[in-house]
Amino acid sequence: MRSWIGSVGLCAALAACTGTLTSTEPGLQGREDAGSVTTDAALDASTALDAELADASGEDASTAADAGVDAGPTDPCTGVSCGAGAECDPRTRACACRPGFVDDGTGCVAPPPGDPGTRSDDEVCAAWREGQIENGSPAWTGDGTTCGPGTMSFEGIEDTLRRINVYRWLAGLPPVVDQPSEHAAQMECAAMMSANGQLSHSPPMSWSCYTAGGAGAAGRSNIALGYGTPGAAIAGYMLDRNVESLGHRRWILTPRLGRVGIGFSSSGGRPGQCLSVFDGSGPGSDRRWTAYPNQGPAPIELTTGEWSFQAHGVSFTGSTSATVTRLSDGETMAVMTRRLGGGGLMPTLAMTRQGWNAEAGETYRVTITELSDGELSYDVQVVSCR
């Protein structure tokens, strides 16, 4: 069976505001909403996504029921049963480990996420590079109709899972898997966003290509517009540029997220992407907090947006804040902090850098102060994985 990280034995691995993200990389012009939460407020902003963040065949078997009559294509994986953490690859009709799972000799298992602070630079970079791989070419094909959601390739789904799971692995969280029962609605959601060239968690019935299923999916999903591939949209969600709530990122880094529904469509002028994120079937984590960029070796691409600290088992007080110190010279780096909460998400502290950029080879100590049980510190060791 295949594992998604190969040489790395360990693993390699919101209805609130509406904001926009725009990539400057050719072919990846994208925008996203602020992710799904339980309240409806609106924020619309545009910006440029750093270019380095947007790195951005099925087997057809037909049978005849009667002479001269085509009964249509059959699923190549019909009759193939796979164990937990595995799925049938229609190209080979063989079971393979889902992205984020590894073959331990007895089956596909989710490796222990581990402590991000104990990993080596090489291990992190190998995982990061593998996480950027995109095999879906094309990730989507149309069905010849104006409003048809079309078909998302098997590879495109794998690419999306691979990208999500490398971010979760970096944060010390277990991987997620695909939720097939969500796929049809998420595809309709993506088609609606693409056809209308707009983003909404509550699309009106007056929208072109409106479907009740797609509208329902929009209300429980991260949604994005204009990213060339479904995997590239994940980088946009994680950066969350100009999204006050950092909601997309926070949903993707929810410890108990276990399954995601993935939709992608280019039925309109710009591709739409929808990702359901309200599932809570995952095993969770015993980590008391997660950080972005992560503790330990962290790819420099993660340092270009707002930094954040998400609390799982620690509590904020009214005075909780953060300081960042560059260890090479002891300089205190200017940051502005704000508290984020609500919408069913974990309390989060956002840190906005003031006039400085992180540099590869440097280590930055983040200290979260005035927690209910004192303070804690973690080191972000910035690495270039190119």
Side-chain angles (χ1 to χ4, degrees):
M1 293 185 180
R2 296 179 291 118
S3 68
W4 76 282
I5 280 304
S7 62
V8 180
L10 178 63
C11 169
L14 90 220
C17 313
T18 298
T20 64
L21 267 178
T22 303
S23 168
T24 57
E25 183 170 351
L28 290 182
Q29 293 297 321
R31 55 180 271 200
E32 64 183 32
D33 73 304
S36 302
V37 292
T38 56
T39 60
D40 280 321
L43 171 67
D44 196 8
S46 297
T47 186
L49 171 61
D50 295 0
E52 68 267 20
L53 273 177
D55 294 330
S57 60
E59 181 179 319
D60 186 8
S62 298
T63 59
D66 299 294
V69 178
D70 184 4
T74 59
D75 184 352
C77 288
T78 298
V80 180
S81 178
C82 300
E87 62 188 352
C88 174
D89 184 339
R91 300 163 299 185
T92 63
R93 300 191 74 250
C95 294
C97 292
R98 293 174 178 266
F101 291 76
V102 296
D103 187 352
D104 68 352
T106 63
C108 297
V109 300
D115 182 350
T118 65
R119 297 167 180 158
S120 69
D121 294 5
D122 288 345
E123 185 178 13
V124 165
C125 284
W128 178 250
R129 285 190 291 266
E130 181 111 1
Q132 312 310 303
I133 291 174
E134 294 197 346
N135 295 316
S137 182
W140 177 88
T141 53
D143 57 9
T145 64
T146 301
C147 291
T151 302
M152 188 173 174
S153 70
F154 174 83
E155 292 87 354
I157 292 174
E158 280 199 323
D159 292 344
T160 310
L161 291 172
R162 185 182 299 111
R163 190 72 64 94
I164 294 170
N165 284 333
V166 73
Y167 285 110
R168 288 180 63 84
W169 180 80
L170 286 168
L173 298 175
V176 299
V177 298
D178 184 32
Q179 189 168 13
S181 62
E182 275 279 299
H183 185 65
Q186 294 296 324
M187 290 295 289
E188 292 177 2
C189 171
M192 290 168 61
M193 305 302 154
S194 179
N196 290 275
Q198 300 180 59
L199 294 173
S200 175
H201 287 297
S202 303
M205 295 180 68
S206 60
W207 264 26
S208 299
C209 305
Y210 176 92
T211 67
R220 57 181 179 268
S221 303
N222 285 352
I223 55 180
L225 183 69
Y227 290 91
T229 66
I234 304 304
Y237 291 146
M238 295 303 296
L239 181 63
D240 256 0
R241 180 85 76 185
N242 279 359
V243 177
E244 185 76 12
S245 69
L246 296 181
H248 302 95
R249 179 193 300 175
R250 294 163 69 196
W251 277 116
I252 289 174
L253 295 184
T254 298
R256 294 199 65 84
L257 183 63
R259 295 180 177 273
V260 294
I262 303 167
F264 184 77
S265 174
S266 290
S267 58
R270 304 173 69 194
Q273 202 259 21
C274 297
L275 180 78
S276 65
V277 290
F278 283 4
D279 171 77
S281 66
S285 170
D286 58 5
R287 291 188 59 80
R288 301 179 67 215
W289 54 272
T290 55
Y292 181 98
N294 56 277
Q295 176 189 22
I300 193 169
E301 290 86 349
L302 274 64
T303 70
T304 61
E306 287 193 294
W307 296 22
S308 59
F309 174 90
Q310 193 159 318
H312 309 152
V314 295
S315 299
F316 292 169
T317 70
S319 302
T320 299
S321 188
T323 62
V324 179
T325 304
R326 186 169 56 202
L327 295 190
S328 63
D329 58 6
E331 182 175 351
T332 299
M333 315 302 290
V335 295
M336 182 172 63
T337 63
R338 70 181 187 279
R339 294 268 301 274
L340 306 173
L345 289 161
M346 302 290 183
T348 300
L349 190 69
M351 294 163 266
T352 306
R353 294 170 292 106
Q354 302 293 295
W356 61 275
N357 294 317
E359 299 178 38
E362 295 283 3
T363 297
Y364 300 86
R365 178 160 296 166
V366 180
T367 301
I368 310 299
T369 63
E370 302 293 335
L371 293 166
S372 58
D373 53 355
E375 68 176 40
L376 64 81
S377 296
Y378 60 94
D379 292 346
V380 177
Q381 303 158 230
V382 184
V383 296
S384 174
C385 295
R386 295 181 175 179

